[in-house]
């Protein structure tokens, strides 16, 4: 069966370039389907998915969009409509990959549409603004998107731009036409696991042991983006269990710090009813941006990971607030939950002898959590640091029992 690629563009500003890309993809034996996100022209669009169809799917009309002066509003309507149609095309088996081209606005819209599609479908965005500070993270977000920096402006069919689009087209066509490993586990249980550098030994030991037992362990860096992506993929049904070694994103969201993983952190597994094991790597530390330090932050106990990153110790009151947030989320879980907490430091950062090591204060968190959790949620305390073998063994034992 012939493969198909969705091409997302704005034909009112990038028509010539988009038709070149369409012809190139078609010449390689793949069916191109154009989606036109133009918001400034009422004329007939030659795209298979027209601006009028996109606007209607977003709950509006192309006439209203053209006549509106509320750019933010009509952009949102266009993205919503395009995302709805893209998902419908994918779910009906009509697209196998997505490619887009544009400047700032075009790339922002197209990549948001791409992020509405599941992990595993090839996604590539050709953008003249890919390297602008701050934009690449907005373009990619939590999506598995390839960002192709065109370097030159996407304006006019020069040989340089053709070279860029040829390379991008061949890359995406290759991903679509060639055999790739399916993104869902073919055997054993797929288990999501959060990790960070300061609990890497524990994560590695747990992964190695459980892989020998037939599980597939999929790791996520719990720095705010990876763990947010994990929550989305849990909701999409990719995993049958979760080992959340580093759920610090819950507190980071509570206080607005750099590893903020969003309001839904530590909720998807509970909503899905799958087993989850919760631990505490980094939960007793915070990572505020140094440009936004409050005066009292300079007085906090801290550990410098490197010249760019410092972990500051949470106060006793903040630890209790985080424990309350944990309890509120875990008590709503529809599946089994167990908590395992090391008593001699929650990572290599607060190992004995380090400035933020304070097991007595950590115990305040544990007591608060125990008081607020439902009785059926088990808390296991282990007399070890998180990076010691005894703690990893406790996690492995709990996982063998629960997963």
């Amino acid at each position: 069966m012939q493969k198909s690629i969705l091409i997302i563009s704005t034909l009112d500003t990038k028509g010539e370039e988009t038709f070149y890309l369409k012809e190139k993809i078609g010449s390689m034996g793949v069916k191109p389907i154009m989606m036109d996100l133009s918001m400034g022209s009422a004329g007939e669009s030659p795209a298979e998915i027209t601006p009028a169809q996109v606007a209607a799917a977003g709950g509006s009309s192309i006439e209203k969009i053209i006549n509106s002066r509320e750019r933010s509003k009509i952009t949102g309507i266009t993205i919503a409509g395009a995302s709805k149609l893209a998902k419908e095309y994918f779910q009906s088996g009509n697209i196998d990959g997505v490619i887009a081209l544009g400047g700032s606005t075009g790339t922002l819209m197209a990549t948001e549409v791409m992020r509405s599609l599941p992990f595993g479908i090839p996604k590539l965005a050709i953008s003249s603004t890919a390297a602008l500070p701050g934009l690449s993270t907005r373009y990619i977000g939590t999506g598995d998107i390839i960002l192709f920096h065109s370097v030159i402006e996407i304006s006019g069919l020069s040989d340089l731009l053709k070279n860029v689009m040829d390379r991008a087209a061949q890359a995406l066509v290759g991903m679509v036409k060639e055999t790739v490993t399916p993104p869902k586990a073919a055997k054993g249980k797929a288990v999501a696991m959060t990790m960070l550098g300061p609990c890497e030994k524990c994560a590695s030991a747990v992964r190695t042991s459980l892989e020998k037992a037939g599980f597939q362990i999929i790791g996520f860096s719990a720095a705010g983006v990876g763990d947010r992506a994990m929550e989305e993929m849990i909701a999409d049904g990719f995993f049958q269990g979760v080992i959340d070694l580093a759920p610090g994103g819950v507190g980071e969201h509570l206080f607005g710090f750099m590893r903020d993983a969003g309001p839904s952190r530590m909720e998807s597994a509970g909503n899905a009813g799958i087993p989850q094991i919760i631990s505490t790597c980094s939960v007793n530390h915070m990572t505020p941006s140094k440009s936004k330090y409050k005066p009292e932050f300079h007085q906090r106990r801290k550990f410098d990971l490197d010249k760019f990153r410092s972990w500051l110790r949470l106060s006793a009151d903040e630890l209790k607030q985080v424990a309350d947030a944990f309890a509120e989320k875990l008590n709503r879980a529809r599946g089994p939950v167990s908590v395992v907490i090391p008593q001699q430091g929650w990572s290599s950062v607060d190992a004995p002898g380090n400035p933020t090591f304070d097991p007595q204060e950590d115990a305040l968190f544990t007591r608060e959590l125990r008081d607020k959790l439902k009785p059926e949620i088990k808390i296991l305390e282990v007399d070890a640091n998180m990076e010691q073998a005894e703690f990893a063994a406790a996690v492995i034992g709990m996982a063998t029992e629960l997963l």
Side-chain angles (χ1 to χ4, degrees):
M1 184 175 177
Q2 187 182 27
K3 300 288 188 176
S4 299
I5 287 176
L6 181 66
I7 304 173
I8 304 175
S9 184
T10 51
L11 295 186
D12 58 348
T13 60
K14 300 286 187 288
E16 183 182 24
E17 300 83 3
T18 306
F19 276 102
Y20 178 86
L21 184 60
K22 178 181 181 180
E23 184 178 342
K24 186 68 181 179
I25 289 171
S27 72
M28 290 184 279
V30 174
K31 179 182 177 183
I33 301 171
M34 289 196 300
M35 173 184 278
D36 186 2
L37 304 188
S38 301
M39 298 186 292
S41 174
E44 285 294 320
S45 172
E48 287 77 13
I49 305 173
T50 66
Q53 291 173 294
V54 171
S60 185
S61 69
I62 190 61
E63 291 77 20
K64 289 180 180 178
I65 285 177
I66 291 169
N67 293 321
S68 175
R69 295 183 179 181
E70 299 179 79
R71 185 174 176 85
S72 178
K73 180 180 178 181
I74 63 174
T75 299
I77 291 169
T78 300
I79 291 169
S83 298
K84 180 181 178 182
L85 293 173
K87 286 189 284 188
E88 289 175 357
Y89 267 68
F90 174 72
Q91 289 164 359
S92 60
N94 289 322
I95 58 171
D96 303 285
V98 189
I99 193 168
L101 68 163
S104 299
T105 301
T107 309
L108 283 168
M109 291 196 297
T111 51
E112 189 158 343
V113 176
M114 289 179 182
R115 291 197 302 274
S116 72
L117 298 172
F119 180 93
I121 177 172
K123 311 170 186 76
L124 188 152
I126 308 166
S127 177
S128 57
T129 59
L132 287 183
L135 280 182
S136 60
T137 54
R138 291 185 63 189
Y139 294 154
I140 296 171
T142 57
D144 57 332
I145 297 169
I146 298 171
L147 198 54
F148 195 125
H149 186 206
S150 65
V151 181
I152 59 175
E153 185 57 77
I154 302 173
S155 178
L157 281 179
S158 66
D159 285 347
L160 272 71
L161 184 59
K162 286 181 181 179
N163 173 275
V164 168
M165 291 197 288
D166 288 353
R167 286 185 285 141
Q170 292 191 42
L172 193 72
V173 168
M175 285 185 273
V176 166
K177 291 181 72 174
E178 298 301 320
T179 301
V180 297
T181 304
K184 294 195 176 182
K187 59 180 181 178
K189 286 187 177 179
V191 177
M193 182 170 71
T194 57
M195 56 183 68
L196 284 170
C199 61
E200 187 173 0
K201 286 183 181 179
C202 177
S204 180
V206 171
R207 176 184 58 78
T208 301
S209 178
L210 293 181
E211 283 177 346
K212 290 178 180 177
F215 293 93
Q216 287 194 24
I217 308 300
I218 295 87
F220 291 86
S221 173
V225 177
D227 39 353
R228 193 184 297 242
M230 181 189 75
E231 295 289 336
E232 294 173 2
M233 292 179 69
I234 292 169
D236 286 340
F238 278 87
F239 308 114
Q240 291 79 54
V242 178
I243 300 174
D244 207 345
L245 293 178
V250 174
E252 295 275 307
H253 176 72
L254 202 61
F255 305 122
F257 297 143
M258 291 178 66
R259 290 184 290 118
D260 178 356
S264 301
R265 183 69 176 90
M266 202 192 284
E267 294 182 6
S268 296
N271 293 338
I274 61 175
Q276 52 184 324
I277 295 167
I278 308 296
S279 194
T280 53
C281 176
S282 80
V283 171
N284 52 1
H285 289 79
M286 62 179 179
T287 58
S289 169
K290 291 188 178 182
S291 64
K292 298 179 180 178
Y293 265 34
K294 297 178 182 179
E296 64 98 359
F297 287 175
H298 293 283
Q299 310 306 316
R300 297 252 185 154
R301 290 171 288 170
K302 67 171 185 172
F303 185 92
D304 294 322
L305 273 72
D306 50 46
K307 65 179 181 180
F308 301 109
R309 299 175 298 162
S310 294
W311 280 16
L312 276 62
R313 176 86 196 183
L314 288 185
S315 69
D317 183 62
E318 288 164 343
L319 281 170
K320 290 180 180 179
Q321 291 181 60
V322 177
D324 290 344
F326 271 44
E328 192 273 330
K329 292 170 181 285
L330 297 177
N331 283 340
R332 289 189 277 113
R334 297 189 300 162
V337 179
S338 288
V339 181
V340 55
I341 300 175
Q343 294 177 313
Q344 299 301 319
W346 293 357
S347 68
S348 62
V349 166
D350 60 330
N354 286 350
T356 62
F357 178 64
D358 192 339
Q360 288 74 33
E361 209 165 73
D362 291 341
L364 298 176
F365 170 93
T366 307
R367 284 198 292 272
E368 181 75 9
L369 183 62
R370 195 183 296 277
D371 288 344
K372 297 294 177 66
L373 281 178
K374 296 188 295 187
E376 57 265 33
I377 297 179
K378 176 184 176 183
I379 296 181
L380 173 65
E381 294 184 75
V382 181
D383 187 18
N385 182 270
M386 178 167 277
E387 287 288 74
Q388 291 182 304
E390 300 92 320
F391 183 76
V395 176
I396 293 164
M398 187 174 283
T400 303
E401 176 185 328
L402 199 64
L403 298 177

